Amino acid sequence: MDDILNKIAICVQTGKTDKVSPYPPDMKGQDGADELTRQALEEGKRPDEILENALIPAMAVVGDRFSRKEIYVPQMLMAAKAMNSAMKHLKPFFQSGETKRKGKFIIGTVAGDLHDIGKNLVSMMIEGGGWEVIDLGVDVGTEKFLRAIEENPGAVIGLSALLTTTMENMKKTVSSLKEMHSGIRILVGGAPVTKEYCDKIGADFYSPDPQGAVNYLKQLVV
Ligand code: B1M
């Protein structure tokens, strides 16, 4: 991996947010994900390259370490904070698609679920793809999705779930949305979600990644 991308990945894996961050102690005083991402962009690295080759693989490492009980929730939080400090530099690039808005996309992480990194990535990429994104945030109950669709008729809905326990809430939300708005299109994603689950709960499309979500929306606009 390219040197600067490797450094960014290490910062995310270790939770090194920025230069002034005292964590982790052995990296005190060194640049963090914040400064290095800005530097990488200044050096001409593409935002999607930084995302695909440094940030996403680094978070995958964090997830594997957590699964093996080599790290715990506080370290995961620090990694997420470092990732967000890098993402704030990438966001304007993904959002600056000069294309005319293609439609509205309402996205949220389902009730009971606080994970938002993947949802934010999907949101950024879709905004970059020319859609107006209404991001309802995390822990979003069915009522809030229903209100949002009533305020934005015709919008496509995106639901993210990262916990096997909250997949059940995804099912409830899909069912209520479909019952109240029969023509609505719902896209689902998140680590435990599968195409089979999408079909089972009556959602319209499953994407394992942001690009798949962008492609799905693209083919809706002809
Ligand atoms: Co949590 N956590 N976490 N966590 N966390 C997981 C998800 C877990 C798999 C870790 C593990 O055990 N290996 C596990 C879930 C197990 C399960 O249910 N099967 C888990 C757990 C158990 C928990 C807690 C219960 C831990 C605890 O408290 N004991 C707790 C739950 C809190 C809650 O939500 N109520 C918890 C808390 C947290 C933190 C707050 C510490 C933090 C979240 C910070 C944040 O999001 N702001 C956190 C993190 C960081 C993780 C891991 C390490 C990383 C998640 C992540 O951001 N990945 C994660 C382990 C892992 O994923 N390997 C884990 C990077 C992100 C880019 O990927 O979100 O999958 P992802 O999104 C992808 C795709 O899924 C897709 O696109 C993205 C880019 O490719 N995608 C969509 C996502 N949404 C989409 C929507 C779409 C389309 C595609 O269309 C609408």
Side-chain angles (χ1 to χ4, degrees):
M1 194 196 292
D2 195 287
D3 192 39
I4 191 147
L5 296 186
N6 191 34
K7 283 183 183 162
I8 294 170
I10 290 169
C11 286
V12 171
Q13 285 167 28
T14 55
K16 176 71 177 164
T17 304
D18 54 24
K19 194 166 187 163
V20 296
S21 156
Y23 180 87
D26 62 338
M27 291 174 81
K28 204 172 166 188
Q30 291 178 27
D31 283 344
D34 184 349
E35 293 85 4
L36 289 167
T37 303
R38 201 177 49 220
Q39 192 190 322
L41 290 168
E42 281 164 10
E43 285 176 10
K45 290 273 174 282
R46 292 192 325 271
D48 61 320
E49 199 182 350
I50 300 172
L51 182 66
E52 299 289 337
N53 298 338
L55 304 183
I56 291 179
M59 284 309 287
V61 170
V62 171
D64 289 345
R65 287 184 183 161
F66 183 77
S67 301
R68 294 197 298 268
K69 298 194 168 36
E70 292 167 8
I71 62 164
Y72 297 94
V73 174
Q75 285 102 324
M76 276 209 300
L77 268 177
M78 293 308 292
K81 198 173 165 206
M83 172 126 179
N84 282 332
S85 76
M87 274 164 49
K88 80 171 185 243
H89 296 290
L90 304 188
K91 202 170 175 184
F93 291 91
F94 291 122
Q95 290 175 331
S96 70
E98 276 155 29
T99 41
K100 182 170 144 281
R101 295 289 169 102
K102 294 174 180 145
K104 289 186 182 181
F105 181 68
I106 298 167
I107 189 167
T109 305
V110 299
D113 201 321
L114 303 177
H115 295 85
D116 68 356
I117 297 173
K119 185 259 305 161
N120 292 345
L121 287 174
V122 173
S123 172
M124 275 195 272
M125 299 288 282
I126 287 179
E127 203 162 3
W131 288 69
E132 179 181 344
V133 174
I134 298 146
D135 188 340
L136 303 179
V138 295
D139 189 16
V140 184
T142 303
E143 284 303 317
K144 201 167 173 182
F145 280 109
L146 283 169
R147 259 199 316 277
I149 193 71
E150 272 144 30
E151 286 162 12
N152 300 281
V156 180
I157 299 262
L159 305 177
S160 179
L162 261 287
L163 299 169
T164 42
T165 47
T166 57
M167 284 168 75
E168 189 56 30
N169 295 335
M170 179 178 262
K171 182 179 165 189
K172 286 181 193 154
T173 299
V174 169
S175 154
S176 299
L177 284 167
K178 287 280 183 186
E179 198 183 308
M180 307 282 284
H181 302 269
S182 56
I184 201 172
R185 272 164 302 199
I186 307 176
L187 160 69
V188 293
V193 181
T194 60
K195 162 91 174 72
E196 289 67 38
Y197 190 70
C198 165
D199 295 343
K200 189 177 151 199
I201 66 176
D204 296 284
F205 190 77
Y206 158 74
S207 172
D209 51 41
Q211 197 52 47
V214 173
N215 294 344
Y216 171 68
L217 292 185
K218 205 184 276 174
Q219 54 85 38
L220 292 179
V221 188
V222 273

